[in-house]
Amino acid sequence: MNKQHSIIHTAKQTIEMESKAIFNLSSYINEEFAAAVELIYNSKGRVIITGIGKSAIIATKIVATLNSTGTPAVFMHAADAIHGDLGLILENDVVICISKSGNTPEIKVLVPLIKNAKNKMVAITGNKDSFLGKQADYVLNAYVEKEACPNNLAPTTSTTAQLVIGDALAICLLELKGFSSKDFAKYHPGGALGKKLYLRVSDMSEVNQKPSVSLHTGIKDIIIEITEKMLGVTAVVEAGKILGIITDGDLRRMLSKTDDFTNLTAKDIMSENPKRIDANAMAVDAMELMEKHGISQLLVEKKGQYAGVVHVHDLIKEGIL
């Protein structure tokens, strides 16, 4: 087996091993898991998640997922906790402690301190019979048969399992809370994901110029209007109503068909019934409409009146596309 084939084999073996371990986790989901979710859901405090080593890294990711889906969470490193950070834990907080073995020295020091403070504790561990497993109020089983590491040493499969348990917790809580796409957008206002959920067509079109001509506007004035408004398009409008559209492409096609356009007007070269979108529609809907019809601009209407243009470049600038 050459080097490349060996690499491919190892990568596939790793993925298959971890996917099998994840699949096996579903058999560990039981009433105790449901009770832990209900405990967190009914809590008046936050979720404090702690761990040591690679488990601490997984803890930070679970904290981020919970915060972004409506469950307030804070990371507390297990080593720092026993040197002052224990003050992070407030009276009504629920503590989640993550540890593969459940028997690390830091965990053995930390767990009694949490118990003394009367905080409820949830363990995510691969060893239910460990010190942590026996002390926790609820145990979420993250057992894996073997690490993907050929020496069965480097945390790989086990940390993946911990992360998946954390995701399962977060999604269960999300559903219990009725966390909607609007809520998600509220917590992600600056990201592309959030923008897809809250950014409206009007947020972009109102910033753009508003090119328009009438049915009887001459070719020279049409070219000037398209050039000055810099959107590659103009609407043909009468009494505020959209009658047609003229694009750069329409002008090029006109020039290829005739040498004398002195007497031509917008009515002669416009495309009737152009694609349009309501100003209150979501930006992502504009993107889908453009992609469906292979176009770069959409005319915007508000209460049946011409309201401007949204361009594919607006979507790119906002990170929607």
Side-chain angles (χ1 to χ4, degrees):
M1 184 181 294
N2 65 35
K3 187 181 291 186
Q4 285 193 344
H5 287 166
S6 177
I7 291 170
I8 293 169
H9 174 74
T10 300
K12 287 184 175 181
Q13 189 178 51
T14 301
I15 293 168
E16 289 169 5
M17 184 180 296
E18 295 202 359
S19 64
K20 181 181 178 181
I22 291 171
F23 179 78
N24 288 340
L25 289 178
S26 61
S27 64
Y28 305 147
I29 301 300
N30 53 21
E31 291 79 7
E32 190 165 8
F33 180 93
V37 172
E38 290 180 334
L39 169 71
I40 296 169
Y41 175 69
N42 293 319
S43 170
K44 295 180 181 178
R46 307 160 301 167
V47 179
I48 308 297
I49 308 184
T50 188
I52 194 79
K54 302 299 186 295
S55 294
I57 296 171
I58 296 301
T60 62
K61 168 56 173 66
I62 297 174
V63 164
T65 302
L66 288 172
N67 280 324
S68 69
T69 52
T71 300
V74 178
F75 170 68
M76 179 183 71
H77 196 283
D80 293 335
I82 59 179
H83 293 286
D85 281 4
L86 202 61
L88 283 171
I89 305 175
L90 303 180
E91 182 180 355
N92 294 313
D93 291 342
V94 175
V95 180
I96 297 178
C97 192
I98 305 176
S99 173
K100 178 189 175 182
S101 71
N103 288 315
T104 59
E106 294 85 358
I107 295 298
K108 287 185 174 181
V109 173
L110 177 61
V111 165
L113 299 174
I114 296 170
K115 298 286 286 184
N116 289 341
K118 307 300 182 184
N119 291 87
K120 291 293 183 180
M121 183 168 53
V122 177
I124 299 178
T125 182
N127 184 1
K128 294 187 69 175
D129 295 324
S130 64
F131 179 82
L132 173 62
K134 291 178 178 179
Q135 293 295 317
D137 298 289
Y138 302 90
V139 179
L140 309 186
N141 194 348
Y143 172 77
V144 297
E145 185 176 336
K146 188 178 184 296
E147 298 287 5
C149 166
N151 299 314
N152 197 26
L153 294 173
T156 45
T157 310
S158 62
T159 48
T160 302
Q162 293 167 357
L163 187 60
V164 170
I165 292 292
D167 285 344
L169 270 175
I171 300 305
C172 289
L173 288 164
L174 177 152
E175 291 195 350
L176 284 175
K177 291 172 180 286
F179 195 82
S180 67
S181 59
K182 289 183 179 179
D183 295 317
F184 188 87
K186 182 173 67 176
Y187 289 109
H188 299 76
L193 287 173
K195 285 186 178 181
K196 286 183 179 181
L197 297 168
Y198 79 81
L199 192 70
R200 297 189 181 275
V201 169
S202 59
D203 296 325
M204 298 177 292
S205 64
E206 289 177 358
V207 179
N208 292 335
Q209 298 193 69
K210 190 179 170 183
S212 68
V213 296
S214 71
L215 284 170
H216 306 292
T217 301
I219 297 301
K220 180 180 178 180
D221 290 331
I222 293 171
I223 293 172
I224 291 172
E225 181 71 358
I226 292 176
T227 303
E228 288 183 347
K229 301 300 170 62
M230 298 184 295
L231 290 167
V233 67
T234 183
V236 181
V237 179
E238 291 289 343
K241 297 287 186 180
I242 297 172
L243 301 180
I245 189 172
I246 300 172
T247 67
D248 284 336
D250 293 322
L251 291 174
R252 287 193 295 273
R253 284 186 287 273
M254 174 205 69
L255 291 171
S256 70
K257 291 177 181 178
T258 181
D259 294 325
D260 183 10
F261 50 83
T262 307
N263 296 318
L264 293 179
T265 64
K267 183 179 180 181
D268 300 314
I269 66 169
M270 73 179 188
S271 299
E272 297 183 21
N273 300 315
K275 298 294 181 293
R276 62 194 79 184
I277 192 166
D278 190 84
N280 288 320
M282 306 307 294
V284 70
D285 295 330
M287 177 192 72
E288 290 174 357
L289 197 56
M290 288 184 192
E291 288 181 337
K292 179 180 178 181
H293 296 285
I295 55 179
S296 301
Q297 307 100 335
L298 280 172
L299 300 185
V300 180
E301 285 184 319
K302 189 172 185 179
K303 296 181 179 179
Q305 297 285 300
Y306 174 54
V309 176
V310 61
H311 196 286
V312 67
H313 291 160
D314 300 323
L315 300 172
I316 293 171
K317 183 173 66 176
E318 295 292 346
I320 301 296
L321 190 62

